[in-house]
């Protein structure tokens, strides 16, 4: 599954973006800016993650966060 360091890196990266960003798996949705929230999703290799962005730069932020996640 996602390791503490990876989750921390994702939360830290998300904090730099202007949009509100949420990650969802199944019926659970959390802020990507929350380390504990990310860990609570129980993401494992091959998991399908929905990324939801809301804000003035949502399209650019969505591309950036999706690229970051894919490289993890």
């Amino acid at each position: 599954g996602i390791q503490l360091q990876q989750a921390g890196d994702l939360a830290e990266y998300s904090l730099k973006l202007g949009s509100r960003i949420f990650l969802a798996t199944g019926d659970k949705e959390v802020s990507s800016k929350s380390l504990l929230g990310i860990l609570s999703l129980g993401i494992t290799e091959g998991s399908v993650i929905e990324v939801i962005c809301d804000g003035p730069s949502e399209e650019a932020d969505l591309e950036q966060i999706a690229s970051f996640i894919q490289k993890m």
Side-chain angles (χ1 to χ4, degrees):
I2 192 168
Q3 301 296 315
L4 179 61
Q5 182 64 49
Q6 293 171 310
D9 290 347
L10 177 56
E12 186 177 336
Y13 187 80
S14 296
L15 287 169
K16 297 176 185 176
L17 302 176
S19 298
R20 292 184 312 132
I21 304 169
F22 298 91
L23 305 176
T25 58
D27 61 347
K28 198 172 203 177
E29 182 178 301
V30 301
S31 171
S32 68
K33 299 177 182 186
S34 167
L35 172 64
L36 293 177
I38 295 168
L39 290 172
S40 75
L41 290 176
I43 299 168
T44 59
E45 188 173 338
S47 291
V48 175
I49 305 166
E50 181 179 3
V51 180
I52 304 149
C53 288
D54 181 39
S57 57
E58 61 191 35
E59 289 181 26
D61 290 347
L62 178 60
E63 286 182 30
Q64 290 182 52
I65 200 74
S67 176
F68 186 88
I69 291 170
Q70 289 175 348
K71 292 176 184 174
M72 292 177 70

